[in-house]
Amino acid sequence: MTRRLPLVAALLRPTARSLPWTVFAAGWALGPAVAAVPVLFSMDTPADVLVNLARVAALSGAVGTAFVLDDPARHTTGVPPVPRPLRQAVRAALVLPPVAVWWAVVLGVLRRGADAEAWAAFPWGAVTVEAGALCALALALAAAAVRFTVRSVPGPAVSGAVLALPVMAGVLLPDRFALFVPPGTPGWDDAHVLWAGALAALLAVWLVCAPEPRRRFGGVRGRRGGGD
């Protein structure tokens, strides 16, 4: 592990420069804007409405995160000496602090638009788990697209899939597996057990999809052998 630290340090600057920060900002911008609605209109917002606003903001964060593995040069640089899992981990590590700051801003804006009673009833911890699971979904789908397709820029397709999640979850999931439930209802605790499980499972999917596919290297060797 310690042998890779100099390699990780060398990767940080070029990886940071290659990340689509403008696209991230465009996706994340909606979150604070949605959270600011109660402040802008001087609304007395109950806790359940705050939760719905936080969910819309979290969804915008996941849409922005969907572009984290976009690399238009992926197929033009040959086989890099750095393993793909490490490259993806560096990308995710660089994006994680801005995402955490962004989410703190969203919660801070929501806090300004809520009275003391509504904020005391606002389950910010549980909603943060939802936001984390949505961002993990975006990362897992992007990793799967990179591994199993030839896409070098999976972000647009992944962001569309993430946006479709609330509709699909509402239509396809039975009531006992509902995810987007109102706070204070009997299914709230069960739903957030599912959210926590989904967060862990999606991170595991990312780890499984991160390595280079073996068949790609076999195909390259075959083509090279045929041309000699």
Side-chain angles (χ1 to χ4, degrees):
M1 182 65 181
T2 56
R3 294 179 180 179
R4 290 194 173 183
L5 290 179
L7 179 59
V8 171
L11 285 173
L12 289 177
R13 185 172 181 180
T15 302
R17 294 179 63 182
S18 70
L19 286 168
W21 294 107
T22 302
V23 180
F24 292 158
W28 297 337
L30 181 61
V34 170
V37 168
V39 178
L40 294 175
F41 294 96
S42 301
M43 300 168 55
D44 292 330
T45 310
D48 57 340
V49 175
L50 291 176
V51 167
N52 289 333
L53 292 175
R55 284 170 170 165
V56 175
L59 200 59
S60 76
V63 167
T65 307
F67 296 85
V68 68
L69 300 185
D70 282 15
D71 183 5
R74 178 174 292 118
H75 300 308
T76 63
T77 55
V79 180
V82 182
R84 180 189 285 175
L86 183 59
R87 302 196 309 270
Q88 290 191 0
V90 171
R91 282 178 166 259
L94 286 169
V95 173
L96 181 59
V99 170
V101 171
W102 167 84
W103 184 244
V105 170
V106 169
L107 293 179
V109 174
L110 285 172
R111 173 67 183 89
R112 290 199 61 183
D115 58 30
E117 182 179 354
W119 185 252
F122 178 70
W124 62 269
V127 175
T128 298
V129 173
E130 294 184 19
L134 290 172
C135 289
L137 172 67
L139 181 60
L141 290 176
V146 169
R147 181 174 174 85
F148 297 111
T149 74
V150 297
R151 291 179 182 270
S152 60
V153 183
V158 172
S159 62
V162 170
L163 284 173
L165 173 67
V167 176
M168 294 175 61
V171 172
L172 299 178
L173 292 177
D175 291 343
R176 67 179 182 276
F177 295 128
L179 293 173
F180 297 98
V181 300
T185 59
W188 176 263
D189 291 338
D190 291 339
H192 285 85
V193 171
L194 293 176
W195 277 111
L199 173 58
L202 289 166
L203 291 176
V205 169
W206 169 39
L207 293 176
V208 169
C209 292
E212 298 278 358
R214 293 180 180 177
R215 70 175 185 275
R216 181 174 301 173
F217 297 115
V220 171
R221 287 195 297 268
R223 287 194 297 272
R224 288 176 178 173
D228 289 339

